[in-house]
Amino acid sequence: MPTPHRTAVIGGGPGGLYAAALLKRLDPTRHVTLWERDAPTDTFGFGVVLSDETLGGIEHADPAVHDALQPHFTRWDDIHVTHRRTHHTSGGHGFAALGRHRLLKVLQDRCHALGVDLRFRSEAPYPTWLAETHDLVIAADGVHSGTREAYADAFGPRVTPHRCRYIWLATDFPFDAFRFDIAETDHGVLQLHGYPYAPDASTVIVEMREEVWRASGLAELGVQESVDRCAKIFADALEGHPLRVGTSAWTTFRTVVNDRWSHGNVVLLGDAAHTAHFSIGSGTKLAVEDALALAACLQEQPTTADALAAYEAERRPVVASTQRAARASLEWFEDLARYVDQPPRQFAFNLLTRSRRVTHDNLRLRDARFTESVERAFGCPPGTPPMFTPFRLRGLTLRNRVVVSPMDMYSAVDGVPGDFHLAHLGARALGGAGLVMTEMVCVSAHGRITPGCAGLWNGRQTEAWRRITDFAHTHAPGTAIGVQLGHSGRKGSTKLMWEGMDEPLDDGNWPLVAASPLPYRPDSQTPRELTRAQLTDLREEFAAAARRAARAGFDLLELHCAHGYLLSGFLSPLTNRRTDAYGGSLERRLRFPLEVFDAVRAVWPEDRPMTVRISATDWAEGGTTAAESVAVARAFAAHGADAIDVSTGQVVTGERPEFGRSYQTPYADRIRHEAGVPVIAVGAISSWDDVNSLVLAGRADLCALARPHLYDPHWTLHAAAEQGYEGPGAVWPAPYRAGSRPPRTGRTDAPKPRLTLADRPD
């Protein structure tokens, strides 16, 4: 099929140049014109880091570019972290960098050699004209893309500014590693990111929170004067060398996201389409990979429209993953002051694993000695992964850091847990987790979510739960079993999940109560606003259920104040519109949940711990904020909560969660450090490597997993086997010990070939 023969490229950065070169190389008859407003030697920044993966793609697509770049790379393996005059080095990371000028020169030379029409110091014609006169328009015009803004209605751009000021600098001596240096001043914390890019030069980025930049007086100085002051602050890292400025100025990072990357024959590439924070070194990498994918799709697809759709489908998931990692890294540095009091080795490990792309297991492969030193400092016995270290809550010592998260089963009859619950919770108790939690157990029949919800409002239910806790304690000694008490509030009287989640019952409904008379969904029943007398009755229902839970033999009690259920409904300003003493300010919204907590704590055995589950954000405008969740956690801790189980959302139907791996853990991390209370992290934690990483970095004390335990009831024991761990943190039940090693999956003793005879003459 014919390919686009008149191609316009807007922007002469690495992405635009490489796209132009690839398209011309793939089809020499194609006319490719590139416009760049600046001179060929003008650029932002000094060095560029490229991964081996990206270089492999370049080598495959255009060996000439790859060969021209190779002699100019500076390579190194180490990362140095310096904080409070303590230095830690982690090796095995494998970086390659070169000067940005050199990269641009190689790409410009390649474009000239192939016959691309390069027009520097030239403003590109208006995108509409280019789209009408060319078969394809590639907008590689950067974070401030004029093309993107010209078609804003079509692309749907969202540009989010962040909280730090930074500046790209250079120094004329080579670091011997990637450096992260932390400086604490009277005005706040500054950080230096640095790496070598030539035998005699390094890139340096100085970054700090906006308020630190202003309080330190740097905002009032000229650029060079402010940079000279930074050189003095980081004199040790720079070994006394000065810092120099190119075309940069102090700026804030902006995350660019677009709903669509193409419109007609116009397509976005690189920073015009998406940005990722420099702390994971991915801007140029993403742009070059975009160019590779776009060229391949244009070659493979029958039409331009098909090619642009295929390009976006291929690249969007990769970019989204990178942006999630970059956002985690960016926010870690924004909140750097939160971590400066961590023990030095843990601080270094936390920094290295901040994006969640480098993990405990990954770091162990790269540098076992460094990782083992962090584990020793944390208190791991030799050969013990962090997840298998014990943790104490009041009078209860958990043998490991794994929690089977509460998961509603909707399989009780009249609130009574039966054989299904015995098999379900018993299997997970046998599976090795330190703590197994029940589903939300309702304090009254009217407090159920569905007719299938379990309860603790009568003696029959108490005895049924006692059967389950006795099984766990007898057959899985060392495993604790906890109960989560709650009330559905406005989210009750609905169908079983698999019959229609949150849908009202067709018949047999019971009346609902809540903080305010607001239905959960438009088709939901409108609850009655609780009166003072009803609040008193509800407190007693919770306390009575707690007494029954103690008699049933539970080791831990969790109060459910999350996910839009009754107590959560009091906490969120979106669901609490009361005008009495239980509504309005956060202090007033906390009043009833704290009264319930106090009533439960008063009857719950003193030596047994209590935790509280909260939604740390409503993921909706005007809802609970992360800062408020810290205040909520502090309040419960002050009343005697032993840990906070940090979840998010499910409070209102209009929420917009930012899903991703471990996406809720930053909220637990913040509460742990700012409220000073142990936390249970939840939310898309799916691997034992995640658990090890979160615990060792100090972002969580315990990790709760739900779906992984539905997939594999013995998840914890299998995690121990896969890590070669056989200690007290993961004890196999005697009948299962024969299966404590992973089974072989195929023959491993086949003879290996010794000679190659294919080219030998007969």
Side-chain angles (χ1 to χ4, degrees):
M1 298 295 291
T3 55
H5 282 278
R6 283 178 55 82
T7 299
V9 180
I10 307 172
L17 287 166
Y18 194 45
L22 287 174
L23 292 178
K24 188 67 174 175
R25 180 173 184 267
L26 288 170
D27 182 0
T29 68
R30 180 185 282 123
H31 299 282
V32 181
T33 306
L34 181 149
W35 284 268
E36 169 55 53
R37 70 177 67 178
D38 294 325
T41 56
D42 290 345
T43 185
F44 183 83
F46 296 91
V48 175
V49 179
L50 296 175
S51 69
D52 289 341
E53 181 182 39
T54 304
L55 291 174
I58 292 173
E59 182 178 21
H60 182 76
D62 193 343
V65 171
H66 182 268
D67 293 346
L69 292 175
Q70 280 301 315
H72 304 289
F73 277 114
T74 296
R75 298 182 182 274
W76 72 98
D77 291 322
D78 291 346
I79 297 177
H80 291 335
V81 179
T82 301
H83 172 48
R84 293 182 177 174
R85 298 191 179 278
T86 301
H87 308 277
H88 292 287
T89 299
S90 171
H93 296 277
F95 296 101
L98 78 165
R100 190 172 177 88
H101 282 106
R102 176 62 62 182
L103 173 61
L104 292 174
K105 183 67 166 60
V106 167
L107 294 174
Q108 290 165 10
D109 289 348
R110 184 61 173 154
C111 284
H112 282 303
L114 291 168
V116 175
D117 182 4
L118 297 180
R119 301 183 183 183
F120 288 98
R121 299 187 180 90
S122 298
E123 287 283 351
Y126 198 70
T128 304
W129 182 86
L130 289 175
E132 292 173 351
T133 57
H134 290 73
D135 302 286
L136 176 67
V137 180
I138 300 173
D141 46 349
V143 65
H144 302 294
S145 171
T147 312
R148 185 183 66 226
E149 294 310 310
Y151 294 110
D153 290 344
F155 292 127
R158 299 187 301 280
V159 181
T160 305
H162 297 287
R163 297 179 291 170
C164 281
R165 287 275 177 169
Y166 71 97
I167 189 169
W168 287 91
L169 306 166
T171 186
D172 294 327
F173 91 101
F175 292 136
D176 59 356
F178 210 125
R179 292 194 65 120
F180 293 102
D181 286 71
I182 313 303
E184 295 176 79
T185 72
D186 293 339
H187 306 290
V189 183
L190 295 78
Q191 58 260 22
L192 176 149
H193 312 244
Y195 58 86
Y197 68 86
D200 58 352
S202 299
T203 286
V204 174
I205 305 167
V206 177
E207 183 183 23
M208 70 203 75
R209 287 283 288 262
E210 173 83 17
E211 58 267 30
V212 177
W213 183 65
R214 295 191 180 281
S216 64
L218 293 173
E220 300 170 5
L221 301 177
V223 171
Q224 187 60 57
E225 189 178 0
S226 68
V227 168
D228 291 343
R229 184 179 292 183
C230 291
K232 291 179 181 178
I233 293 172
F234 292 105
D236 288 348
L238 298 169
E239 297 184 10
H241 289 78
L243 291 168
R244 54 186 171 89
V245 187
T247 59
S248 302
W250 290 100
T251 188
T252 57
F253 188 80
R254 291 169 172 79
T255 296
V256 174
V257 176
N258 285 276
D259 292 336
R260 289 165 296 282
W261 292 1
S262 65
H263 172 60
N265 62 344
V266 180
V267 62
L268 302 178
L269 184 147
D271 283 355
H274 47 71
T275 59
H277 193 248
F278 56 81
S279 61
I280 65 169
S282 59
T284 300
K285 173 182 182 295
L286 287 176
V288 168
E289 291 175 351
D290 281 356
L292 283 165
L294 178 60
C297 290
L298 287 166
Q299 188 76 359
E300 296 163 356
Q301 299 297 323
T303 69
T304 301
D306 290 335
L308 299 188
Y311 157 70
E312 183 169 348
E314 176 182 336
R315 291 296 296 157
R316 186 177 282 279
V318 177
V319 168
S321 175
T322 302
Q323 286 189 313
R324 284 194 297 270
R327 180 69 177 262
S329 179
L330 175 155
E331 291 178 347
W332 195 93
F333 283 111
E334 284 185 335
D335 296 322
L336 180 59
R338 180 183 299 163
Y339 306 111
V340 292
D341 291 326
Q342 282 191 305
R345 284 187 174 83
Q346 187 177 57
F347 176 87
F349 179 85
N350 196 356
L351 186 153
L352 292 171
T353 59
R354 67 195 180 278
S355 73
R356 302 194 284 274
R357 285 198 159 181
V358 176
T359 63
H360 171 266
D361 194 47
N362 181 270
L363 202 54
R364 174 178 284 281
L365 289 173
R366 299 181 189 209
D367 191 340
R369 179 178 297 181
F370 169 78
T371 307
E372 288 167 3
S373 74
V374 180
E375 292 171 348
R376 287 194 302 271
F378 181 78
C380 299
T384 301
M387 66 184 292
F388 293 115
T389 57
F391 189 73
R392 187 175 180 84
L393 288 170
R394 202 171 285 241
L396 176 67
T397 298
L398 302 176
R399 65 184 177 191
N400 61 54
R401 306 301 184 99
V402 180
V403 179
V404 176
S405 194
M407 293 174 281
D408 286 317
M409 294 289 107
Y410 308 110
S411 299
V413 177
D414 296 327
V416 179
D419 290 346
F420 176 87
H421 290 84
L422 177 66
H424 166 67
L425 293 170
R428 277 128 194 105
L430 292 170
L435 172 64
V436 175
M437 293 296 301
T438 68
E439 61 200 87
M440 185 177 89
V441 175
C442 304
V443 299
S444 70
H446 284 181
R448 291 174 296 166
I449 308 167
T450 76
C453 288
L456 257 175
W457 65 82
N458 61 41
R460 186 178 168 210
Q461 295 158 356
T462 305
E463 291 307 310
W465 283 117
R466 183 81 207 193
R467 177 181 176 227
I468 293 168
T469 62
D470 283 349
F471 177 92
H473 294 146
T474 301
H475 296 284
T479 296
I481 184 164
V483 61
Q484 185 188 68
L485 289 186
H487 186 294
S488 63
R490 69 181 189 144
K491 296 178 74 174
S493 193
T494 63
K495 297 178 180 179
L496 303 183
M497 180 180 66
W498 47 86
E499 294 177 352
M501 191 168 71
D502 295 326
E503 293 182 10
L505 292 170
D506 294 330
D507 53 61
N509 287 282
W510 55 86
L512 303 182
V513 294
S516 298
L518 303 170
Y520 179 60
R521 300 189 340 178
D523 62 343
S524 297
Q525 181 186 153
T526 299
R528 296 195 306 270
E529 180 171 298
L530 285 158
T531 66
R532 291 290 189 99
Q534 289 173 318
L535 293 178
T536 300
D537 292 343
L538 269 169
R539 285 199 302 271
E540 179 49 38
E541 287 178 351
F542 272 94
R547 292 188 190 96
R548 295 186 185 99
R551 292 197 295 272
F554 287 106
D555 303 297
L556 175 147
L557 187 149
E558 179 166 283
L559 191 63
H560 200 343
C561 297
H563 300 167
Y565 298 120
L566 188 130
L567 297 179
S568 170
F570 275 87
L571 292 173
S572 172
L574 296 177
T575 52
N576 184 342
R577 305 290 176 81
R578 301 176 72 99
T579 57
D580 63 2
Y582 293 96
S585 67
L586 178 59
E587 182 180 10
R588 291 188 172 196
R589 300 198 308 273
L590 266 163
R591 183 175 176 181
F592 183 63
L594 288 174
E595 287 179 359
V596 172
F597 180 92
D598 290 343
V600 171
R601 182 70 268 183
V603 302
W604 184 244
E606 178 64 25
D607 63 328
R608 299 187 207 178
M610 270 188 69
T611 63
V612 179
R613 190 167 211 183
I614 67 170
S615 285
T617 176
D618 293 340
W619 298 113
E621 186 176 352
T624 300
T625 66
E628 285 182 322
S629 73
V630 175
V632 169
R634 284 198 183 107
F636 279 113
H639 282 245
D642 299 290
I644 304 298
D645 189 352
V646 187
S647 187
T648 65
Q650 301 180 52
V651 175
V652 293
T653 55
E655 66 178 7
R656 297 187 64 179
E658 297 175 4
F659 291 118
R661 177 167 144 256
S662 305
Y663 72 104
Q664 295 178 144
T665 59
Y667 295 93
D669 185 359
R670 179 170 183 172
I671 287 171
R672 185 179 189 273
H673 283 90
E674 294 187 14
V677 59
V679 297
I680 306 169
V682 303
I685 302 170
S686 57
S687 71
W688 48 258
D689 195 18
D690 286 339
V691 177
N692 283 328
S693 301
L694 291 166
V695 169
L696 191 57
R699 299 184 195 125
D701 299 285
L702 300 167
C703 292
L705 299 91
R707 287 178 176 84
H709 280 116
L710 292 179
Y711 180 76
D712 179 5
H714 293 81
W715 186 90
T716 307
L717 293 180
H718 292 157
E722 288 166 14
Q723 295 176 80
Y725 173 73
E726 298 179 348
V731 179
W732 285 74
Y736 289 173
R737 285 176 190 158
S740 62
R741 294 181 181 179
R744 293 183 177 181
T745 56
R747 184 178 179 185
T748 60
D749 61 346
K752 294 178 173 56
R754 299 296 301 277
L755 297 174
T756 301
L757 304 177
D759 297 328
R760 186 173 176 176
D762 293 334

